Amino acid sequence: MVTPRRAATGGATPALIAGVRAALVTLSIALGGVLGLIGVLSVHTARKIVTPANRVADTKILNLDTAAQTITLSRTPDTELPGRYGLFTTGTASYIKLGSVLAEDDHSVKRKLLTHIGPASQLAPDAAFSGWYYDKPEELHIPFTPELIGSAVGPCPAWLFPAALPSDTWVIQVHGRGTNRAECLRAVPLFHGLGMTTLVVSYRNDGEAPRSRTGTYTLGATEWRDVDAALGFARRRGARHVILMGWSMGGAIALQVDLNSAHRDLIAGLILESPVIDWRVVLDYQAKLSRLPGPVKGLAIGALQSEWATPVTRTGTPIPFDRLDVVARAAELRHPVLILHSDDDGFVPSDASHELAVRRPDLVEMQVFEVARHTKLWNYDQDRWSESIRSWLDRHGLIPAREGAGS
């Protein structure tokens, strides 16, 4: 009986056995620590996805020449773009408009100032580059009225830009994640010039509309109800044809309105600028940009769509990623869609937009841009952007007839 026991232990000494046990314990603790860290990172990532955040500085002001009215910024894929843009700053001014690129090198870009900056002005170095351009409705010099649209969370502020002549064709614009209504102002002059009334809306948790119980985004799954309330508002004010225009996450919201609204008969079409069509594509892209480990991304998405994880993700309800995937739901679309998206978007990849156009060529038209970055297509090429929308509206008979036209 002694021989088999020795064979089983392989001649291991007590010290060796103790060492192996200690190594296994250490390995188990280390593994537990790694898994715990992955779990913490996953929860942090999940919360970051759904939590409204303040604007983050993405460039630096390197030089301000008030005599020449120029500004030099650190070079980024956005600050080097041709066109007109805006810059969020702190100091003497909170927002300034930027014109064309005057000079550049490997590290910096000098641009023309389109907002006058006085010689005594002081601007902090950290700044955020923006495609907004206009940041107040008064800057458009188009008559408007502030409105409140009743929704389940409370009154949501909106700007109403009536058509110059009575019109039953409206455009309802929906801004994106982490922004507010001002993002949409660029498009108002185009629609106004075509004889359309424009309603620029807010939605829960965007910093202007009321806060929901949790104060977090549901990536379009509940926000669409606030825009649906705006459809009801438009109907009561005489709208008979409504084009929904969504920017970035506003595109996801507009699509959910189109798929779920009780006012679907009112919708005449959708215009989507740099839209989110499938959140999982976007989150996968963002995870790769951030070099986030695959398991962290997977667990974060899993947590967001699970009922059991809502107390830690603070969403209050699971995120229905399948329902938000409009590529998978392409057969349910009923209205014409124009997608404006850049293959060089840099934030929301255009893959799902291309796929939706392939799935529904009968309804979906895609205008593909290059070089332009996320929601900055108007800034980069205003003429092409405007003509793409104008010609699409014309082909679908959505431009209101004007009295005396053709006479």
Side-chain angles (χ1 to χ4, degrees):
M1 298 299 294
V2 174
T3 304
R5 184 177 298 173
R6 286 178 178 172
T9 60
T13 65
L16 178 59
I17 293 172
V20 169
R21 286 174 177 168
L24 289 173
V25 169
T26 302
L27 182 61
S28 298
I29 293 172
L31 182 59
V34 169
L35 293 176
L37 179 59
I38 289 175
V40 169
L41 286 174
S42 300
V43 170
H44 173 75
T45 300
R47 288 179 180 172
K48 186 176 180 181
I49 291 168
V50 297
T51 301
N54 295 325
R55 187 174 288 103
V56 177
D58 56 9
T59 187
K60 286 189 177 295
I61 298 173
L62 303 178
N63 184 56
L64 179 65
D65 187 338
T66 57
Q69 289 294 291
T70 63
I71 190 169
T72 303
L73 305 173
S74 58
R75 185 167 187 154
T76 72
D78 287 273
T79 61
E80 68 185 14
L81 291 170
R84 296 182 296 163
Y85 300 88
L87 190 73
F88 287 95
T89 64
T90 54
T92 310
S94 60
Y95 186 79
I96 56 179
K97 294 183 175 68
L98 308 178
S100 57
V101 174
L102 302 176
E104 57 188 317
D105 58 31
D106 291 343
H107 307 289
S108 66
V109 177
K110 179 191 289 186
R111 307 189 74 110
K112 181 67 179 172
L113 283 169
L114 300 181
T115 298
H116 181 78
I117 302 297
S121 298
Q122 296 290 327
L123 300 179
D126 292 334
F129 197 77
S130 170
W132 284 21
Y133 194 69
Y134 303 105
D135 79 319
K136 294 181 179 64
E138 293 84 359
E139 295 174 8
L140 300 179
H141 303 291
I142 296 173
F144 76 97
T145 57
E147 305 287 345
L148 289 174
I149 296 172
S151 78
V153 295
C156 298
W159 293 316
L160 178 64
F161 296 85
L165 298 174
S167 173
D168 61 6
T169 302
W170 286 40
V171 178
I172 294 179
Q173 290 204 68
V174 189
H175 67 80
R177 181 182 184 278
T179 66
N180 61 42
R181 288 175 290 163
E183 179 177 46
C184 308
L185 290 174
R186 287 165 282 179
V188 172
L190 171 63
F191 297 123
H192 187 76
L194 295 174
M196 300 177 178
T197 290
T198 302
L199 184 66
V200 182
V201 303
S202 58
Y203 52 81
R204 62 191 69 187
N205 304 316
D206 70 356
E208 294 187 317
R211 185 181 184 275
S212 68
R213 181 177 58 83
T214 60
T216 55
Y217 294 128
T218 58
L219 308 182
T222 57
E223 291 88 352
W224 74 267
R225 298 183 183 279
D226 303 329
V227 181
D228 192 38
L231 270 174
F233 173 93
R235 170 166 262 155
R236 292 189 296 274
R237 293 290 186 95
R240 295 294 175 264
H241 313 281
V242 174
I243 295 104
L244 296 173
M245 182 171 186
W247 303 70
S248 191
M249 186 175 94
I253 295 171
L255 285 164
Q256 290 303 304
V257 175
D258 187 53
L259 293 171
N260 299 300
S261 175
H263 301 286
R264 288 185 79 181
D265 62 304
L266 201 62
I267 300 172
L270 292 87
I271 300 172
L272 308 178
E273 151 79 69
S274 310
V276 176
I277 305 290
D278 178 359
W279 273 107
R280 282 173 292 209
V281 171
V282 177
L283 297 178
D284 184 61
Y285 178 81
Q286 289 294 320
K288 289 175 181 175
L289 279 185
S290 304
R291 297 181 178 177
L292 200 65
V296 171
K297 181 209 71 178
L299 285 172
I301 293 176
L304 286 172
Q305 63 188 354
S306 301
E307 182 75 47
W308 62 266
T310 55
V312 292
T313 58
R314 300 172 183 168
T315 56
T317 184
I319 306 294
F321 286 103
D322 289 340
R323 185 151 55 88
L324 296 174
D325 178 359
V326 181
V327 171
R329 300 181 65 186
E332 300 177 48
L333 294 175
R334 294 290 179 271
H335 303 105
V337 179
L338 172 65
I339 298 176
L340 306 163
H341 212 147
S342 175
D343 283 345
D344 297 308
D345 182 289
F347 191 80
V348 173
S350 60
D351 305 55
S353 292
H354 282 283
E355 183 61 25
L356 187 61
V358 169
R359 294 280 185 98
R360 291 303 304 267
D362 56 322
L363 286 181
V364 179
E365 175 184 325
M366 183 174 178
Q367 287 290 326
V368 182
F369 286 67
E370 295 178 345
V371 181
R373 302 280 288 175
H374 186 60
T375 66
K376 297 181 178 70
L377 280 60
W378 176 94
N379 312 79
Y380 174 71
D381 192 341
Q382 183 181 349
D383 289 342
R384 182 189 167 193
W385 185 92
S386 299
E387 183 54 34
S388 295
I389 294 174
R390 186 184 296 109
S391 61
W392 179 83
L393 290 168
D394 187 42
R395 285 195 301 276
H396 290 282
L398 296 174
I399 298 178
R402 302 191 187 188
E403 225 176 283
S407 62

